[in-house]
Amino acid sequence: MKKVMNVVALLLIGALSVAGQTAQVNVNEPILPADWNPKLAADLVMANLIKVTSPEAKGAHDASFVMVGSHAYIATMINDVRPGENPEWPYVYNALSIVNIETQKVERIIPFVKGGQAFDNATLPEGACFVPRIIQMSKRYLRCFFASEEPGKRQSQVWYIDFDLKKQGFRSQIYKAKIKTAAGVFDMQPQYYYEDAVANGLIRKPVDYGLYVFEFKEIDGKIYAVLNNFPGRQNGLAVLNKKFDTFELLGHYNEPNDLKLSESAVNQLPDGSWLAICRTESGSLNYAFTTSTNGRVWTKADHRKFVPNGTNSKPTFDKFKGIYYLGWQESTKVNGAFRSVFNIDVSPDGIHWERKYRFECESSFQYPSFVEHKGSVWLTVTQGDTDASRKERIMFGRLE
């Protein structure tokens, strides 16, 4: 049965590739064939996902990954105690799964940072290691950013550690990332991000944790980073410097304050303007959108008709082969399961959208990430079966 599904998947992917090429030429033509079935396409993807977290892991969530050669390097936050994740759990650590994409096998899983761990040049304070984000900084090294947190006890700090592709292991030093605001360059901590946001109109109480590097986008030779403070309901766009150690804030998008905007995904549209889709924590919980002509000054966010019934979860906004991919969690639930419906819509221009995938799964389909590599698009996603959070494992596979 699985072999048959793989054949059908290839046929669907082939049809989409042809349609995608046409869409890049003429934005007025549909991207997808008239008989395209979003649920079937999504079912075929899910049928071929593999688990990439260890048997010991009880909770796992929100993976980030890069592709190098024949391997995927997947960083995620893990704990071996209970399902889910929480910045107040000191036993949340980070692990890197190395997957051979040709054999679809996990070759190694390397735990690499945990609270209290001693390195050659520093010792991490006790507390959770949260929201790892990985990026390739050179032919030899990958860099992984993560937040060290102890809510209510200290300011959290974003750190980084490098993975040596040649030696296939992590270096023995860690370093503090920096944030550059209008006031100067500081250790990357919530207080400095907050102060700059308040100066730009944020009306919110400060928090001492929750500052994360949420996603990277490489556009026109620059690496843009979306910054988020989840409990502080703060969002910003930054540029990562050439040394990959400092995030320079360009602008904030937090208004209207009553929408409580949070986790967002950003991309640049064909006319050079920016569009961000933001999770909200008030009202209907549907996603809100904000735009900017320069990445510095943003409009007040509002809802858009093409996302009618979203709910509070991480969105995605990517561009593959000239086509935009917008991913969002739908409020509909499969048998009452948490975050069990996730849509991916596609567009040639960021204005006209078509439904390409509809993931419906009682194990949930939440917090996916997507990476294009050698003509294919790959993904990671959080799923689970027993706990209400459905945050128990990370799955990996090919989208198309």
Side-chain angles (χ1 to χ4, degrees):
M1 179 65 180
K2 187 172 182 178
K3 187 175 182 180
V4 173
M5 294 182 77
N6 286 337
V7 172
V8 175
L10 289 173
L11 291 173
L12 283 168
I13 291 166
L16 182 58
S17 296
V18 173
Q21 292 170 6
T22 302
Q24 293 179 54
V25 176
N26 188 345
V27 298
N28 295 316
E29 293 184 8
I31 297 174
L32 303 171
D35 60 350
W36 184 262
N37 187 325
K39 185 178 183 304
L40 174 59
D43 287 346
L44 292 169
V45 171
M46 288 192 290
N48 291 284
L49 297 178
I50 62 169
K51 179 183 175 182
V52 296
T53 39
S54 67
E56 295 79 21
K58 296 291 192 302
H61 193 40
D62 196 11
S64 167
F65 72 108
V66 296
M67 311 284 288
V68 183
S70 60
H71 289 80
Y73 296 84
I74 305 169
T76 190
M77 50 182 166
I78 303 288
N79 84 83
D80 300 336
V81 178
R82 58 198 287 194
E85 41 68 48
N86 191 309
E88 296 185 356
W89 299 348
Y91 43 80
V92 175
Y93 63 94
N94 294 167
L96 184 76
S97 298
I98 304 175
V99 182
N100 187 315
I101 62 174
E102 296 174 355
T103 64
Q104 290 287 283
K105 301 294 184 183
V106 179
E107 293 185 345
R108 293 177 67 194
I109 298 177
I110 308 171
F112 63 93
V113 287
K114 64 179 180 179
Q117 184 174 348
F119 294 85
D120 286 355
N121 63 328
T123 297
L124 274 176
E126 295 295 336
C129 292
F130 232 63
V131 188
R133 291 293 183 260
I134 193 168
I135 187 171
Q136 186 169 3
M137 59 180 292
S138 68
K139 290 184 178 180
R140 180 164 179 175
Y141 292 106
L142 308 179
R143 176 157 291 180
C144 189
F145 296 91
F146 63 95
S148 169
E149 304 195 295
E150 230 179 343
K153 296 184 179 180
R154 60 177 172 85
Q155 286 283 315
S156 72
Q157 171 69 48
V158 176
W159 296 76
Y160 63 84
I161 186 171
D162 294 339
F163 181 84
D164 188 325
L165 289 164
K166 183 177 180 180
K167 296 182 178 180
Q168 287 291 291
F170 282 93
R171 302 183 76 177
S172 57
Q173 300 88 23
I174 57 170
Y175 298 95
K176 292 180 177 180
K178 303 291 185 179
I179 187 169
K180 183 178 180 181
T181 71
V185 178
F186 308 95
D187 287 342
M188 196 163 177
Q189 298 176 357
Q191 57 186 330
Y192 305 114
Y193 185 40
Y194 172 80
E195 289 169 2
D196 199 73
V198 169
N200 285 272
L202 179 72
I203 303 174
R204 194 85 64 216
K205 293 182 179 180
V207 293
D208 60 9
Y209 71 104
L211 172 55
Y212 311 126
V213 180
F214 212 60
E215 68 167 14
F216 293 109
K217 288 285 194 316
E218 186 171 354
I219 299 173
D220 295 333
K222 293 183 179 181
I223 297 174
Y224 292 90
V226 174
L227 303 186
N228 172 244
N229 186 308
F230 177 70
R233 310 295 187 247
Q234 294 174 238
N235 310 272
L237 183 66
V239 173
L240 183 60
N241 70 344
K242 292 183 178 180
K243 292 183 178 180
F244 287 73
D245 62 7
T246 302
F247 294 84
E248 180 181 355
L249 266 171
L250 296 180
H252 302 265
Y253 44 98
N254 300 311
E255 295 184 1
N257 281 276
D258 59 3
L259 275 183
K260 299 180 181 179
L261 304 177
S262 189
E263 301 170 335
S264 66
V266 175
N267 221 317
Q268 193 173 47
L269 298 179
D271 65 359
S273 65
W274 295 88
L275 177 66
I277 175 174
C278 306
R279 170 177 174 169
T280 70
E281 292 296 313
S282 68
S284 67
L285 302 181
N286 192 21
Y287 295 93
F289 292 80
T290 175
T291 61
S292 173
T293 59
N294 55 14
R296 298 180 182 276
V297 180
W298 294 78
T299 61
K300 289 186 177 181
D302 56 16
H303 302 295
R304 303 289 174 90
K305 291 182 179 179
F306 55 85
V307 177
N309 58 338
T311 193
N312 52 341
S313 187
K314 172 190 172 183
T316 61
F317 191 15
D318 299 290
K319 190 178 185 181
F320 303 125
K321 303 175 186 177
I323 301 297
Y324 292 99
Y325 285 58
L326 182 71
W328 55 280
Q329 202 88 52
E330 190 175 304
S331 58
T332 307
K333 295 182 178 180
V334 177
N335 295 328
F338 183 62
R339 292 176 177 165
S340 51
V341 177
F342 191 90
N343 297 311
I344 297 179
D345 298 332
V346 292
S347 170
D349 55 9
I351 299 173
H352 306 92
W353 297 93
E354 301 171 44
R355 179 65 41 79
K356 183 176 177 185
Y357 295 102
R358 181 178 176 82
F359 293 93
E360 298 182 11
C361 183
E362 196 169 342
S363 294
S364 86
F365 196 94
Q366 58 176 306
Y367 279 65
S369 293
F370 302 96
V371 172
E372 185 177 3
H373 180 63
K374 294 183 177 180
S376 296
V377 179
W378 301 82
L379 70 98
T380 56
V381 66
T382 299
Q383 293 190 314
D385 300 312
T386 59
D387 187 72
S389 73
R390 298 297 198 266
K391 300 174 183 177
E392 299 165 44
R393 61 180 179 272
I394 302 298
M395 305 294 288
F396 168 80
R398 181 179 171 183
L399 181 73
E400 56 191 48

